[in-house]
Amino acid sequence: MNKLIDLSQAISHVKDGDTVMIGGFLAVGTPDRLIDALIEKGVKDLTLICNDSGFIDRGVGKMVVNRQFKKIIASHVGTNKETGRQMLSGETEVVLVPQGTLIEQIRAGGHGLGGVLTATGLGTEVEKGKDKVTVDGKVYLLEKPLRADVALIFGNQVDKFGNIHYHGSTRNFNNMMAAAADITIVEAMEVVEVGDLDPNSVHTPGVFVNYIIDGGAF
């Protein structure tokens, strides 16, 4: 299977109403070219799962400004005042999840787990409507797995099979998201031949990656 595709082919997999995971932490390690292509396409009514909503002019925040999301699940949105405005006005549903819980829900979705147990959020707004489980006399919230139709992630070096190396903090949520979607598309800063990556430097195995776009070619 040739995993290298162009931008138009990549965004054809994202359809109105889909749930998408988009990697990045305050726009670091974000697939910017894929985001720009989705803005141009105008896909809408998406549910976004991300760490944060970026900035008004950077990262996934540009899609927020373009009003392409009906729902956002994130750990914080404070760096994008437009997300806050849409949340307070009721234009966009925003679900705030503790960051550690969010990444564990994504991990559970990618690894076939039924959910994760955490004490984080007990006694707060976070626990509303959620099941509780008692283990050895201690109460936990059951946080259910999160999965997406499509994960859009970034990698610094990606071989043609899809093995990914991330540099430093660009790894953030990308690694976990790769396993938690029906289709995973990676935007590579550099595409290399199979065998060029040191196996010890591979953070995401290519088995989780369906398609690659060569971000360095633009």
Side-chain angles (χ1 to χ4, degrees):
M1 175 182 174
N2 179 17
K3 295 185 178 183
L4 272 168
I5 58 175
D6 62 28
L7 265 176
S8 62
Q9 290 174 304
I11 63 170
S12 71
H13 293 283
V14 182
K15 300 174 176 62
D16 291 352
D18 275 355
T19 296
V20 295
M21 290 182 179
I22 300 181
F25 189 105
L26 297 178
V28 174
T30 296
D32 289 316
R33 288 170 177 80
L34 285 167
I35 287 171
D36 289 343
L38 287 174
I39 291 171
E40 184 176 353
K41 180 181 178 181
V43 63
K44 61 185 184 300
D45 295 327
L46 301 172
T47 294
L48 171 67
I49 300 171
C50 63
N51 173 66
D52 57 83
S53 60
F55 303 88
I56 286 177
D57 59 349
R58 289 175 55 202
V60 74
K62 293 188 291 185
M63 292 181 69
V64 174
V65 171
N66 207 37
R67 300 187 181 185
Q68 292 178 265
F69 302 116
K70 66 179 180 182
K71 181 177 181 178
I72 297 172
I73 301 171
S75 66
H76 67 89
V77 296
T79 56
N80 189 330
K81 63 181 181 182
E82 177 61 16
T83 310
R85 189 198 67 76
Q86 291 181 21
M87 176 178 67
L88 293 174
S89 69
E91 294 173 41
T92 303
E93 180 184 357
V94 177
V95 179
L96 295 174
V97 182
Q99 190 175 76
T101 301
L102 180 61
I103 193 62
E104 284 296 286
Q105 287 180 282
I106 294 169
R107 183 181 68 86
H111 290 75
L113 303 180
V116 292
L117 299 179
T118 177
T120 302
L122 282 171
T124 73
E125 291 290 313
V126 172
E127 76 170 27
K128 287 189 175 180
K130 295 179 180 176
D131 294 330
K132 296 178 183 178
V133 177
T134 301
V135 179
D136 294 334
K138 186 171 182 179
V139 178
Y140 298 89
L141 294 179
L142 172 62
E143 296 286 2
K144 294 180 180 178
L146 288 175
R147 285 190 60 83
D149 298 298
V150 183
L152 304 175
I153 64 174
F154 169 87
N156 290 89
Q157 289 183 307
V158 183
D159 73 19
K160 291 182 177 179
F161 181 68
N163 295 306
I164 305 173
H165 168 73
Y166 308 100
H167 177 69
S169 60
T170 62
R171 187 186 317 190
N172 53 71
F173 275 45
N174 286 301
N175 191 33
M176 289 297 179
M177 287 180 172
D182 296 337
I183 297 173
T184 295
I185 303 170
V186 58
E187 177 182 311
M189 179 178 287
E190 180 186 8
V191 176
V192 300
E193 296 294 331
V194 174
D196 284 355
L197 293 179
D198 179 348
N200 293 306
S201 75
V202 171
H203 301 118
T204 298
V207 69
F208 293 119
V209 174
N210 299 97
Y211 299 108
I212 305 162
I213 70 156
D214 187 350
F218 295 90

